[in-house]
Amino acid sequence: MANRNVYCARTISANKKTNIKRHDATKHREFTATFPLGSLARHQKLDKLQKSLTSSENMLVSFTPTDKRATEASLRVSKILAKTMLPYFHAEIVKECMVEAMERLFPDKRDVVGKVKAIPLSRKTATGKIESINDHLRMTLLTHIDQADYFSIAIDESTDIMDVAQLAVFVRFFDGEEMKEALLTLVGLERETTSQATYDALVKRLDKLKIPL
């Protein structure tokens, strides 16, 4: 397992005290000021960051090498389905197509076809994989926002196919190396779309995400 910094989940090339101190002093010098050594706030913050890092690393852990590759293949197919907004049951169709293609391309290599058949791509599995990807991306984004000195938000209100007003919330911040911009969340505005209702819904969602204004 790679050595990963609990603050930012970045890989540290060598697990040496000097390397870690240099990285923390360069990238996370504000952390100690905000969360002093020995404080309860620091203990709780580190515990939260460690749980987030452990959760993301456990997504592909505890598998044999073959199982790990099959799981990674399942994640990649599920990610494509999510990006193209196709129904999750299409994962089963993708697998069927892959098996047919492998049987024609490699008729003498049953082990190759067997590996394709072993890829978990049921509708339920695809749903679980996409939810795992979503949870990981959300936690990573929230961690980066929490560590940023400043962030800005932009909102855009539109309606979905059910004619329900949806508030898209975008966030922009500097992560210590470059500017980042991402879709933070969608907020439904079911009753009214006045400025006050929009503001209240936005503040309520940011509070739920534990993002302080």
Side-chain angles (χ1 to χ4, degrees):
M1 182 66 66
N3 300 308
R4 300 176 73 82
N5 189 285
V6 71
Y7 303 141
C8 58
R10 290 193 174 93
T11 301
I12 299 174
S13 58
N15 192 18
K16 297 180 180 179
K17 186 176 181 179
T18 53
N19 287 14
I20 296 173
K21 287 182 67 176
R22 186 186 308 112
H23 175 87
D24 291 347
T26 303
K27 303 297 182 182
H28 310 291
R29 54 180 175 271
E30 300 295 330
F31 188 87
T32 299
T34 306
F35 304 98
L37 287 170
S39 66
L40 177 61
R42 184 185 181 90
H43 174 76
Q44 293 174 335
K45 182 62 177 178
L46 288 175
D47 183 61
K48 176 182 177 182
L49 291 173
Q50 183 61 57
K51 288 179 179 178
S52 171
L53 179 60
T54 301
S55 175
S56 64
E57 289 179 341
N58 283 342
M59 289 179 66
L60 291 176
V61 173
S62 301
F63 298 102
T64 65
T66 301
D67 289 338
K68 184 176 180 179
R69 287 193 292 269
T71 301
E72 182 178 354
S74 178
L75 279 167
R76 290 181 178 275
V77 172
S78 298
K79 181 180 178 182
I80 293 173
L81 292 177
K83 288 175 64 177
T84 54
M85 295 183 288
L86 289 172
Y88 298 163
F89 71 83
H90 281 196
E92 299 172 349
I93 300 176
V94 171
K95 182 176 179 178
E96 185 177 351
C97 291
M98 292 171 65
V99 170
E100 287 290 333
M102 292 300 101
E103 287 180 339
R104 299 300 178 273
L105 292 172
F106 308 102
D108 57 335
K109 295 185 178 180
R110 308 308 301 175
D111 59 322
V112 175
V113 179
K115 289 178 181 178
V116 173
K117 290 181 177 180
I119 299 175
L121 281 176
S122 67
R123 182 189 309 189
K124 182 178 179 180
T125 300
T127 301
K129 291 292 188 294
I130 292 172
E131 289 176 347
S132 296
I133 294 171
N134 179 65
D135 291 342
H136 172 68
L137 292 176
R138 182 193 299 114
M139 184 61 70
T140 301
L141 178 59
L142 292 177
T143 299
H144 286 169
I145 294 173
D146 188 51
Q147 294 171 354
D149 293 329
Y150 305 96
F151 66 87
S152 62
I153 56 175
I155 58 176
D156 181 34
E157 184 263 318
S158 185
T159 55
D160 60 17
I161 59 175
M162 300 298 293
D163 202 32
V164 175
Q166 296 284 351
L167 188 68
V169 183
F170 299 89
V171 63
R172 195 166 189 262
F173 58 92
F174 183 66
D175 72 348
E177 295 183 355
E178 59 181 338
M179 295 300 298
K180 298 284 189 178
E181 185 172 314
L183 174 64
L184 176 61
T185 185
L186 291 173
V187 183
L189 302 174
E190 298 182 0
R191 297 182 179 179
E192 53 184 350
T193 58
T194 63
S195 58
Q196 186 63 52
T198 300
Y199 173 80
D200 291 342
L202 174 63
V203 171
K204 182 178 180 181
R205 178 58 59 87
L206 293 179
D207 183 60
K208 183 177 181 180
L209 295 173
K210 294 182 171 55
I211 298 178
L213 291 178

